Amino acid sequence: DIQLTQSPAFLSASVGDRVTITCRASQGIERYLAWYQQTPGKAPKLLIYAASTLLGGVPSRFSGSGSGTEFTLTISSLQPEDFVLYYCQQLNTYPITFGQGTRLEIK
Amino acid sequence: EVQLVESGGVVVQPGGSLRLSCAASGFTFDDYTMHWVRQVPGKGLEWVALTSWDGFTTYYRDSVRGRFTISRDNRKNSLYLEMSSLRIEDTALYHCAKASAHWYDGMDAWGPGTTVTVSP
């Protein structure tokens, strides 16, 4: 199985900060990577697919980059509603796998 | 508006069986690949299975293959997960999820989930 390692697991930041979450794959996955946001008690929401394509309706402060084994999710100016959980997901190879998650906390 | 609503989650003993359902609306159901994804409370996400638009192609994670069966009824806009030989480690919140237009572009809609508890 392809392992996805997200870092950091926890990230403390302030409203208005720029933050970056990294997702590293144990083998190359081209650009078959998606990012999700999950608010506690709710289902995940797709933010970005194909490593860098923003889903319609997702605020432009979110961006993704990378290919192969290293990917990043950047939030350019944190808003209060952004302090939740984020997961990466690879869809290059079965089984589809997720990273362990990054919890974004208010400093 | 796309809606996915799961049902069927209950408390069941190890070795038992269960069928989960997912009712879909707001999109052309038979155009899309569909998934089941589970989540242990406080833990991460784990993909379980997928079915192609026509139900003819299915994939499973190793730990459920041979015990779980994913299926769909396009006439009823419904997705199913038949679960047998249940184990304690199958305890989780089970979400159905709609694939994006290209299945490899992620899952663009999710249901709130239904809880399966496997306990003696």
Side-chain angles (χ1 to χ4, degrees):
Chain A
D1 297 3
I2 293 178
Q3 310 300 319
L4 296 179
T5 303
Q6 285 182 236
S7 59
F10 297 90
L11 180 55
S12 284
S14 301
V15 172
D17 284 354
R18 177 186 179 92
V19 297
T20 296
I21 299 169
T22 298
C23 178
R24 290 190 173 87
S26 58
Q27 55 189 274
I29 57 170
E30 300 186 50
R31 291 175 59 83
Y32 295 111
L33 187 104
W35 289 97
Y36 295 84
Q37 178 189 65
Q38 187 176 32
T39 301
K42 299 280 187 74
K45 289 184 180 179
L46 179 63
L47 297 175
I48 287 169
Y49 61 93
S52 61
T53 303
L54 213 61
L55 190 69
V58 173
S60 59
R61 63 181 180 273
F62 292 91
S63 63
S65 67
S67 67
T69 61
E70 185 144 340
F71 302 84
T72 59
L73 170 69
T74 298
I75 310 173
S76 60
S77 178
L78 283 167
Q79 299 302 301
E81 62 269 28
D82 299 338
F83 291 89
V84 292
L85 270 165
Y86 294 87
Y87 292 95
C88 58
Q89 176 200 46
Q90 69 81 20
L91 300 106
N92 181 74
T93 304
Y94 294 112
I96 293 167
T97 50
F98 292 87
Q100 81 281 14
T102 294
R103 184 178 299 276
L104 194 44
E105 301 173 331
I106 296 181
K107 190 182 290 184
Chain B
E1 181 195 0
V2 173
Q3 278 205 316
L4 298 167
V5 180
E6 304 89 342
S7 61
V10 293
V11 179
V12 62
Q13 290 190 333
S17 299
L18 198 52
R19 185 169 96 150
L20 305 183
S21 300
C22 171
S25 61
F27 64 103
T28 305
F29 183 68
D30 57 9
D31 276 351
Y32 294 93
T33 292
M34 296 293 295
H35 300 265
W36 286 99
V37 177
R38 65 188 181 186
Q39 185 168 29
V40 175
K43 299 284 180 69
L45 297 161
E46 186 173 81
W47 173 79
V48 174
L50 78 75
T51 175
S52 60
W53 66 273
D54 57 3
F56 287 147
T57 300
T58 57
Y59 291 96
Y60 300 90
R61 67 178 305 102
D62 283 351
S63 62
V64 308
R65 188 178 298 113
R67 300 188 299 122
F68 291 10
T69 302
I70 188 171
S71 63
R72 63 193 297 161
D73 185 338
N74 287 342
R75 296 166 303 171
K76 296 183 178 179
N77 288 349
S78 293
L79 178 72
Y80 305 103
L81 187 67
E82 296 273 2
M83 310 164 73
S84 64
S85 303
L86 281 160
R87 304 169 181 168
I88 290 174
E89 55 266 32
D90 294 320
T91 294
L93 179 66
Y94 283 74
H95 298 278
C96 68
K98 169 187 168 291
S100 299
H102 300 289
W103 71 267
Y104 45 79
D105 283 340
M107 303 164 187
D108 63 5
W110 296 59
T114 187
T115 300
V116 173
T117 304
V118 184
S119 178

